[in-house]
Amino acid sequence: MSQTLAEKFYYLMKLGREFEIRCKEEYLKGNISGFLHLAIGEEAVHVGAVVGFGKGDLFCPYREHVLALARGIDPKLIMAELFGKATGVSKGKGGSMHLYEPKMDFYGGNAIVAAHLPHAVGAAYARKLMGERAGVLCIFGDGATNNGTFFEAINMASLWEVPMLFLCENNYYAIGTHVNRSSALKDIYLKARDYMPAEVVDGMDVFAVYEAVVKAKQYIEEYGKPYFIEAHTYRFEGHSMADKGDYRSPRELEMFRKKDPIDLLLKKAYKEGWLTEEQVRLIDQKVEAVVEEAVEFALSSPEPSEEELYTDLYCGVCSDVIP
Ligand SMILES: Cc1ncc(C[n+]2csc(CCOP(=O)(O)OP(=O)(O)O)c2C)c(N)n1
């Protein structure tokens, strides 16, 4: 594992963490409204997966700020989107759950649980037809694997042999319901194992996630077929800003906080000599400046104009039906 990679992981995970802590503050001030789902605690999965997968389409659930940052979308445009401003990555019309940037192969932010899985299979099939092997990375929660579309997607992906990585971030909860109360199979990866290679990874360890995803990507590129990874992780916050998450015991929270993915990364990086305290201090300073700049940009940006209510509603071919 190179020094450069450790530096990249630390920057992106710390950026994700600080960006979301600030989102929470701005939400409480009333600058962000609507839904806001934070991925604090899940940064190792988001950063390890996006960096490890590299080129290809990305389909995400609604907990996608860190995924968008890791893909390289400008933090200013993400923050402006959360503020509902015209300069946002979705022109201020999507909000937190609908960050969308096709120029960077970033296809959401999807609010409907598991609905993006069949879309991702379609995109992977398109890539296959175009003779591309880069494929698609599709991320979803443990709760999503109980939906019908999940089973349709893994079946079709396997049948059509599409280049796609299914990545389940198992944080053990679908809102307040523990996975053991919603899923007949406790090991989520077993749901896919008869369709494609499937494995489990420690989602609190960014290096482990990265390595698993790189291996999966090699398989996808070589064989043009799908692959499945279940990453065990934990969200330190409630499901969304509307949820305190108090259905979880303090003991459970404490246990997972001891596995904070950023602390684990630093511990390993110091031990291996990949990062020094001085480097970390400089990265922290940069992160602080980037987040501050994003908030200032969002605050000073204009609201979308009224005419924007009628744009981007239909694709070009349907535009004649708009009044
Ligand atoms: C089809 C559908 N059913 C229900 C909901 C309401 N809902 C929003 S998030 C959520 C839980 C999803 O849990 P999981 O897939 O584990 O993702 P996590 O939030 O834990 O990342 C539910 C039931 C929805 N958005 N879409």
Side-chain angles (χ1 to χ4, degrees):
M1 192 68 59
S2 77
Q3 207 170 326
T4 331
L5 212 44
E7 209 174 321
K8 184 170 188 172
F9 289 157
Y10 180 68
Y11 172 69
L12 288 173
M13 287 169 69
K14 185 73 177 178
L15 176 63
R17 176 73 57 95
E18 295 302 324
F19 186 93
E20 290 207 317
I21 289 174
R22 190 62 184 267
C23 286
K24 195 174 162 181
E25 287 167 14
E26 296 301 321
Y27 186 94
L28 295 172
K29 281 188 215 160
N31 287 330
I32 297 176
S33 50
F35 281 99
L36 185 69
H37 305 83
L38 304 175
I40 295 176
E42 303 188 17
E43 296 91 346
V45 180
H46 292 195
V47 170
V50 174
V51 175
F53 199 78
K55 203 170 171 296
D57 296 329
L58 195 44
F59 284 76
C60 312
Y62 40 81
R63 203 180 298 287
E64 89 283 28
H65 312 146
V66 183
L67 291 159
L69 290 167
R71 176 43 60 113
I73 298 178
D74 188 336
K76 294 198 292 299
L77 307 191
I78 300 174
M79 193 61 88
E81 187 58 41
L82 304 188
F83 276 55
K85 297 297 183 76
T87 51
V89 70
S90 306
K91 299 187 190 169
K93 296 192 282 184
S96 161
M97 296 202 283
H98 303 102
L99 305 177
Y100 201 83
E101 183 46 287
K103 285 201 284 289
M104 298 183 83
D105 298 330
F106 190 88
Y107 295 100
N110 290 275
I112 306 302
V113 174
H116 59 302
L117 275 70
H119 299 169
V121 175
Y125 192 51
R127 287 221 175 228
K128 177 181 170 148
L129 293 178
M130 292 188 292
E132 288 175 25
R133 284 283 161 105
V136 172
L137 167 60
C138 180
I139 300 180
F140 47 89
D142 44 282
T145 70
N146 300 320
N147 283 34
T149 46
F150 167 78
F151 295 96
E152 293 173 37
I154 54 171
N155 178 59
M156 225 173 239
S158 170
L159 182 69
W160 290 353
E161 299 189 344
V162 301
M164 170 168 172
L165 173 57
F166 290 86
L167 178 62
C168 174
E169 46 179 347
N170 183 358
N171 61 15
Y172 308 106
Y173 289 90
I175 310 185
T177 306
H178 193 275
V179 64
N180 289 347
R181 291 203 297 127
S182 62
S183 180
L185 286 187
K186 308 304 170 218
D187 292 307
I188 305 282
Y189 78 101
L190 293 179
K191 296 183 186 182
R193 204 181 51 177
D194 287 344
Y195 296 82
M196 59 192 75
E199 63 180 86
V200 183
V201 69
D202 178 358
M204 297 309 235
D205 179 349
V206 66
F207 301 106
V209 175
Y210 173 80
E211 278 166 17
V213 171
V214 166
K215 191 178 94 182
K217 179 74 183 262
Q218 277 163 1
Y219 173 90
I220 289 166
E221 287 191 340
E222 189 173 343
Y223 300 104
K225 291 183 187 176
Y227 201 101
F228 190 99
I229 293 176
E230 173 188 356
H232 285 255
T233 183
Y234 200 75
R235 63 169 156 73
F236 295 156
E237 300 290 318
H239 170 76
S240 69
M241 288 301 289
D243 170 33
K244 285 200 292 202
D246 52 5
Y247 37 83
R248 305 176 302 182
S249 69
R251 194 164 153 260
E252 181 180 304
L253 261 168
E254 191 46 38
M255 187 182 91
F256 281 103
R257 280 198 188 280
K258 285 194 183 131
K259 296 184 184 176
D260 187 314
I262 298 184
D263 294 346
L264 289 186
L265 156 66
L266 280 181
K267 211 168 146 191
K268 190 158 185 177
Y270 285 147
K271 190 167 158 241
E272 300 288 342
W274 293 329
L275 285 176
T276 64
E277 285 186 12
E278 179 57 10
Q279 275 173 304
V280 167
R281 198 183 58 80
L282 291 176
I283 295 174
D284 287 351
Q285 263 179 12
K286 184 175 169 194
V287 163
E288 204 183 313
V290 169
V291 172
E292 193 53 46
E293 190 192 16
V295 173
E296 278 165 24
F297 177 79
L299 277 171
S300 60
S301 290
E303 303 274 342
S305 67
E306 238 174 82
E307 296 79 66
E308 284 288 338
L309 273 174
Y310 301 102
T311 62
D312 306 319
L313 293 174
Y314 299 96
C315 63
V317 285
C318 320
S319 56
D320 52 344
V321 300
I322 305 174

